[in-house]
């Protein structure tokens, strides 16, 4: 099968989705027009295999929908008076889109995210330093709600408050950190710069998400080594749900934790054809909401590229996110994810700090070789010329592209307390 729906849930999910699709054209002009244009009769949906007959929805279509019918768009599904909260996508690939949430939607999000965090190891006895933006970012307030549902004590530090984060860890008995992978490393660097060892704070769990990185072997090993605590990661999407996959501690990947609220497909990123969910397979995640009131989406293309890494003891597939199609670079026909370059640079820590940035002469995704990589050296007395050559050889052998590495002093490259931007246009 090309979906992540558990066998025990297939019948119930199919029935719920049938009702969602049948009623969707009446309350969403966007889908009424899209289905009509593609000759789709939503009342004929009978099995999950029929999803492949429905059209995709993508981010640009949502932006155009909201531009045509502000504020929430022709796909909104409910009036603004039914919306209790509005979030927004991060806008890394263009103008952000608004995401409305009704009271029922918010309850469903809390259920889904709480399941994910329980899967990742969150418990009622945890004191969680919640270092994520508490504004429009879906990784902020909804995750706070989910942690409180679990019964954990939440310390809502947000971002831009590293000194307060240190104070909280010193005085509140913090057991767990929730942050982007970038901030988990950033906070450790902040402590090292102040002459302190992150391990002294006794964290027992680190929950990460919001960007690729938590699943990169060298990056993860570095964060775990710095804090002396295991990392587990979650994966979600601003337009569908904050976290839909969670990693069981000690496993080889994340499992689907969205229950009966979302159907997830694996498709070929180029052709859109379904791909069987089995170990070794790779593709793009596509989401369809089953019971969403505001902003219900059908076959939404996330652009998240994943690989199936194995199966859980109960047979559920496990995945790792390898990057986003929107971030991918193409060097002489070879697909290169910036996060993969970062992970290779991280393998040479402490000779490098692990910080990296790819410099693009012009907007991607196509890049003429060599790939221009800036990386920070870590050891002040190291042989930088030899280190540069070693990094270039490593990138060529592992990623099959020719690179030109420029080494820069520690602290030269931009750090982020949210998502790291691993590429920049040459000035």
């Amino acid at each position: 099968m090309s979906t992540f729906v558990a066998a025990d849930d297939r019948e119930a999910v199919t029935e719920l989705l049938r009702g969602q699709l049948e009623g969707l054209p009446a309350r969403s002009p966007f889908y009424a027009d899209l289905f009509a244009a593609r000759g789709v009769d939503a009342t004929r949906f009978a099995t999950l295999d029929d999803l492949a007959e429905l059209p995709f929805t993508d981010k640009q279509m949502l932006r155009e929908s909201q531009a045509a019918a502000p504020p929430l768009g022709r796909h909104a599904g409910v009036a603004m008076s039914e919306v209790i909260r509005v979030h927004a996508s991060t806008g890394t690939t263009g103008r952000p889109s608004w995401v409305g949430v009704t009271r029922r939607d918010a309850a469903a999000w809390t259920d889904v995210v709480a399941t994910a965090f329980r899967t990742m190891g969150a418990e009622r006895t945890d004191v969680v330093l919640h270092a994520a933006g508490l504004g429009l970012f879906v990784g902020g307030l909804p995750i706070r709600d989910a942690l409180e549902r679990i019964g954990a004590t939440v310390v809502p530090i947000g971002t831009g408050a590293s000194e307060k984060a240190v104070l909280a860890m010193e005085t509140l008995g913090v057991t767990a950190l929730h942050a982007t992978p970038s901030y988990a490393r950033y906070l450790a660097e902040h402590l090292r710069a102040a002459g302190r060892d992150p391990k002294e704070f006794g964290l027992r769990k680190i929950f990460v998400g919001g960007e690729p990185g938590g699943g990169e072997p060298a990056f993860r090993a570095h964060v775990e080594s710095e804090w002396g605590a295991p990392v587990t990661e979650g994966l979600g999407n601003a337009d569908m749900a904050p976290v839909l996959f969670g990693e069981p501690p000690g496993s080889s990947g994340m499992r689907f934790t969205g229950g009966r609220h979302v159907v997830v497909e694996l498709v070929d990123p180029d052709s859109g054809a379904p791909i069987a969910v089995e170990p070794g397979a790779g593709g793009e995640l596509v989401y369809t909401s089953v019971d969403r009131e505001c902003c219900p989406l059908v076959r939404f293309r996330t652009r998240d590229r994943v690989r199936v890494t194995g199966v859980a003891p109960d047979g559920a597939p496990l995945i790792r996110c390898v990057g986003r199609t929107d971030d991918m670079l193409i060097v002489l026909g070879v697909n290169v994810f910036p996060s993969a370059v970062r992970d290779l640079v991280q393998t040479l820590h402490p000779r490098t700090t692990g910080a990296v940035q790819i410099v693009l002469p012009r907007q991607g995704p196509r890049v003429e070789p060599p790939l221009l990589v800036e990386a920070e050296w870590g050891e002040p007395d190291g042989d930088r010329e030899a280190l540069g050559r070693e990094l270039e050889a490593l990138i060529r052998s592992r990623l099959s592209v020719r690179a030109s590495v420029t080494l820069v002093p520690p602290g030269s490259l931009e750090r982020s307390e949210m998502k790291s931007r691993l590429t920049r246009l040459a000035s």
Side-chain angles (χ1 to χ4, degrees):
M1 296 298 298
S2 61
T3 68
F4 287 80
V5 179
D8 292 346
D9 288 335
R10 290 187 67 82
E11 184 176 345
V13 168
T14 300
E15 190 61 30
L16 288 168
L17 185 53
R18 182 183 297 116
Q20 173 93 325
L21 292 172
E22 287 180 357
L24 193 56
R27 61 192 185 94
S28 171
F30 172 86
Y31 280 110
D33 291 348
L34 182 61
F35 287 176
R38 304 295 172 84
V40 170
D41 181 358
T43 65
R44 298 182 62 184
F45 177 84
T47 73
L48 292 180
D49 291 337
D50 293 337
L51 272 174
E53 305 301 319
L54 301 178
F56 289 114
T57 307
D58 62 33
K59 195 70 172 180
Q60 184 57 34
M61 294 165 73
L62 299 186
R63 294 193 188 99
E64 292 172 357
S65 169
Q66 292 191 344
L72 297 182
R74 301 178 72 246
H75 63 284
V78 298
M80 193 68 163
S81 59
E82 300 298 316
V83 173
I84 64 165
R85 192 168 68 227
V86 174
H87 288 278
S89 65
T90 56
T92 56
T93 60
R95 181 178 177 178
S97 57
W98 300 112
V99 182
V101 181
T102 68
R103 192 169 302 280
R104 193 179 83 178
D105 293 339
W109 273 16
T110 300
D111 289 342
V112 166
V113 178
T115 300
F117 271 81
R118 287 191 189 97
T119 301
M120 293 160 63
E123 298 174 302
R124 184 180 183 279
T125 53
D126 280 318
V127 179
V128 183
L129 186 70
H130 184 33
L134 298 174
L136 294 171
F137 178 47
V138 297
L141 292 172
I143 288 179
R144 179 209 64 183
D145 293 346
L147 290 170
E148 291 178 356
R149 170 71 62 82
I150 292 170
T153 302
V154 180
V155 185
I157 290 293
T159 57
S162 294
E163 292 302 330
K164 289 183 179 178
V166 175
L167 180 61
M169 290 190 294
E170 288 176 328
T171 59
L172 294 177
V174 170
T175 64
L177 169 67
H178 169 247
T180 62
S182 294
Y183 186 66
R185 183 174 71 175
Y186 174 94
L187 186 56
E189 288 183 344
H190 176 82
L191 290 167
R192 293 284 185 194
R196 305 189 67 172
D197 184 345
K199 295 187 186 71
E200 74 181 68
F201 296 95
L203 291 189
R204 299 198 295 269
K205 304 168 186 178
I206 300 175
F207 309 125
V208 299
E211 65 174 358
E216 297 166 18
F219 189 98
R220 170 184 287 229
H222 174 71
V223 171
E224 291 183 334
S225 174
E226 285 288 85
W227 288 101
V231 170
T232 53
E233 67 170 338
L235 174 68
N237 174 271
D239 293 285
M240 185 58 65
V243 191
L244 284 165
F245 288 83
E247 176 185 5
S251 69
S252 64
M254 298 174 284
R255 63 179 294 154
F256 176 61
T257 54
R260 298 178 177 180
H261 296 286
V262 179
V263 174
V264 181
E265 298 173 82
L266 188 67
V267 306
D268 183 282
D270 299 317
S271 69
I275 293 177
V277 180
E278 57 190 15
E284 178 186 345
L285 295 180
V286 171
Y287 296 156
T288 297
S289 56
V290 172
D291 57 359
R292 187 73 170 269
E293 289 184 327
C294 189
C295 304
L297 301 180
V298 175
R299 304 199 80 202
F300 179 70
R301 300 198 65 159
T302 65
R303 305 300 180 187
D304 287 330
R305 299 279 287 267
V306 304
R307 68 178 185 276
V308 182
T309 55
V311 295
D314 64 354
L318 301 172
I319 66 166
R320 290 284 187 213
C321 183
V322 299
R324 288 185 53 82
T325 301
D326 301 311
D327 298 332
M328 187 179 72
L329 303 174
I330 304 173
V331 185
L332 290 183
V334 177
N335 296 339
V336 178
F337 290 100
S339 56
V341 176
R342 177 177 64 182
D343 197 49
L344 289 178
V345 172
Q346 187 71 59
T347 63
L348 298 187
H349 178 82
R351 295 166 63 199
T352 72
T353 69
V356 64
Q357 196 157 70
I358 296 173
V359 182
L360 304 177
R362 62 189 62 84
Q363 190 65 50
R366 298 195 178 278
V367 179
E368 293 297 319
L371 190 68
L372 305 179
V373 178
E374 292 181 342
E376 292 179 356
W377 72 73
E379 298 173 334
D381 300 323
D383 186 338
R384 291 169 201 155
E385 185 175 338
L387 177 60
R389 290 196 301 269
E390 187 173 349
L391 284 170
E392 289 172 354
L394 187 63
I395 292 170
R396 181 151 197 167
S397 66
R398 298 287 184 84
L399 302 181
S400 301
V401 298
R402 184 164 57 91
S404 175
V405 174
T406 300
L407 292 168
V408 298
S412 299
L413 300 180
E414 180 183 359
R415 302 297 199 269
S416 172
E417 295 191 23
M418 283 292 288
K419 300 183 182 184
S420 289
R421 189 174 293 277
L422 299 182
T423 62
R424 68 173 175 85
L425 288 174
S427 55

